[in-house]
Amino acid sequence: MEIRRDRYLNRLISKKNNGLIKVITGIRRSGKSYLLFNLYFDYLISIGVPESNIITIPLDDVDYEEFCDPHALNEYIKTRISDKSQQYYVFIDEAQYAITKEEMKNPDHPIRLYGVLNSLLRRKNVDVYVTGSNSKFLSSDIMTEFRGRGDEIHISPLSFSEFYAASDKEMADAWNDYLYYGGLPHILFEPDNESKSAYLERLNKEIYLRDLCERYDIREQNGMESLMKIISSAIGSLSNAQKISDTFKSSGDKTLSMPTISNYLKYLQESFLIQKAERYDIKGRKYISTPSKYYYTDLGLRNALLNFRQFEETHLMENAIYNELIYRGYSVDVGVVEVRTPKDGKLLKKQLEVDFVVNHASRRYYIQSAFALPNQEKVEQEQASLIKIPDSFKKIIIVGGNTPLRRNEEGITVMGIFDFLLNENSLDL
């Protein structure tokens, strides 16, 4: 079975030998190594690059453990690129292993790995590629750390179109699998549902939770796991550290303070496990600082955290739409439209929610996620906020199932989830 990642492969090809460090980031097991060590490696071989000129260094492999020390890494690479007449390609996988906890925790502590990478950039015959599963290893500003010579490519788990193309199932069955088990590539190689579930549960406990606790010196592992479950249960709901703290307190758990919860949320985002969607006041054209929405980067990991007991297709579909928009490179916020409604001779303020405000350059789209539109009352409910938006950007309602594409009398486009997911230009239909 071949899993094509053409979007990312083409981006790497377009950046070959551009004088920048190509930094490939993404959640663990999302396919970064496969993209670099298989797909891009094979591409380089196909255009005539000698295999000996492609230097692969997987730092999470015990055989390469010594190169987690930046000095040893630098010396090893220098021995491999000694012929100045040759062009070399250096692949460093899971680069965060070459950064110490002290370097990661202290912003004033120089990160030695950056010195190694910047040194490689001074060599005209070396093209450098780095992967990492934690945005913290990029520091606060990759362009500053690499002196304006860093180029980030963020890779997501499989989109539904990639997942469906690689599966051997009918569309509806593939969609159910995708919502339930997510888009981590290895899921497609597991032979049955029991194996898929066990794989995701093992990843959560043995990799993601363990990595988080080790990387950030978290002693309250149970507290972090509880927080992850709360976020998983609340996808599509407005939340913040205070609300989560209140949830802990209401259950009698006072082990995590609000500042600790804020830090834990930041750690989850830095590890790419969750993504935060800010609220945006559409009429006021400004951001609302809190609360926000959190979406899980992979639905399978989210479901496994909850022991597959909270399968709510309405919220999972909303999360899948968010992930697809991020995959396509859009900037995504949660919209708020303030309206005034008359009551008892007064005008009362009311906030209506727009699921997604989607931006890319000069383009903008407003999107509502609706699992079903069984009657006119539901249609009016879903389009109420869209109608109140005082501009002419495109407004879309995405509906579950095979809803036919149409534009209603309010000028709102209604499309089915498969039309949206399987056509990369669907927002412009």
Side-chain angles (χ1 to χ4, degrees), residues 125-145:
N125 65 327
V126 179
D127 198 20
V128 183
Y129 300 79
V130 178
T131 81
S133 299
N134 187 289
S135 65
K136 188 73 171 181
F137 97 89
L138 299 175
S139 190
S140 60
D141 189 344
I142 181 175
M143 305 306 283
T144 298
E145 294 296 339

Side-chain angles (χ1 to χ4, degrees), residues 78-232:
K78 284 198 300 185
T79 64
R80 295 287 306 273
I81 59 174
S82 56
D83 187 346
K84 293 183 179 180
S85 67
Q86 295 286 315
Q87 177 69 31
Y88 295 94
Y89 299 85
V90 176
F91 297 175
I92 302 174
D93 197 26
E94 299 295 355
Q96 71 273 8
Y97 282 91
I99 301 176
T100 66
K101 290 180 181 179
E102 290 72 22
E103 290 172 339
M104 192 170 288
K105 288 166 59 176
N106 187 350
D108 298 322
H109 200 295
I111 296 178
R112 295 175 297 158
L113 175 64
Y114 292 157
V116 174
L117 296 177
N118 278 316
S119 175
L120 290 173
L121 278 179
R122 296 189 184 98
R123 299 173 180 267
K124 295 182 179 180
N125 65 327
V126 179
D127 198 20
V128 183
Y129 300 79
V130 178
T131 81
S133 299
N134 187 289
S135 65
K136 188 73 171 181
F137 97 89
L138 299 175
S139 190
S140 60
D141 189 344
I142 181 175
M143 305 306 283
T144 298
E145 294 296 339
F146 294 151
R147 299 183 177 91
R149 302 179 73 184
D151 199 348
E152 183 180 4
I153 300 169
H154 184 75
I155 183 170
S156 301
L158 299 177
S159 67
F160 178 67
S161 60
E162 291 173 322
F163 183 91
Y164 177 48
S167 73
D168 57 357
K169 296 190 175 184
E170 296 293 328
M171 187 188 302
D173 292 334
W175 173 240
N176 287 333
D177 269 10
Y178 188 73
L179 286 185
Y180 205 77
Y181 298 111
L184 295 181
H186 187 74
I187 281 294
L188 289 167
F189 296 91
E190 292 292 348
D192 51 50
N193 292 343
E194 183 178 352
S195 300
K196 293 174 185 176
S197 299
Y199 171 70
L200 292 167
E201 290 166 355
R202 186 168 65 253
L203 285 184
N204 271 325
K205 291 183 179 179
E206 296 181 6
I207 295 182
Y208 300 115
L209 186 59
R210 185 196 66 198
D211 274 5
L212 280 167
C213 292
E214 289 181 356
R215 186 177 297 141
Y216 296 105
D217 286 329
I218 295 173
R219 297 179 182 179
E220 290 290 339
Q221 179 170 320
N222 291 337
M224 172 57 88
E225 186 172 10
S226 296
L227 174 62
M228 292 168 71
K229 289 180 178 179
I230 289 173
I231 294 296
S232 299

Side-chain angles (χ1 to χ4, degrees), residues 218 220 222-224 226-227 230 240-249 252-267:
I218 295 173
E220 290 290 339
N222 291 337
M224 172 57 88
S226 296
L227 174 62
I230 289 173
N240 57 20
Q242 182 62 63
K243 290 184 70 172
I244 295 170
S245 176
D246 293 341
T247 300
F248 274 101
K249 290 177 181 176
D253 187 345
K254 300 180 180 180
T255 56
L256 296 185
S257 65
M258 194 174 75
T260 299
I261 291 171
S262 294
N263 285 333
Y264 284 8
L265 288 172
K266 181 177 67 174
Y267 300 158

Side-chain angles (χ1 to χ4, degrees), residues 275-298:
Q275 298 183 79
K276 180 180 180 180
E278 303 278 1
R279 294 177 82 203
Y280 180 74
D281 180 348
I282 296 171
K283 287 186 175 181
R285 299 182 181 181
K286 61 184 180 181
Y287 282 95
I288 304 169
S289 59
T290 187
S292 305
K293 286 189 177 184
Y294 294 94
Y295 293 99
Y296 238 81
T297 300
D298 183 74

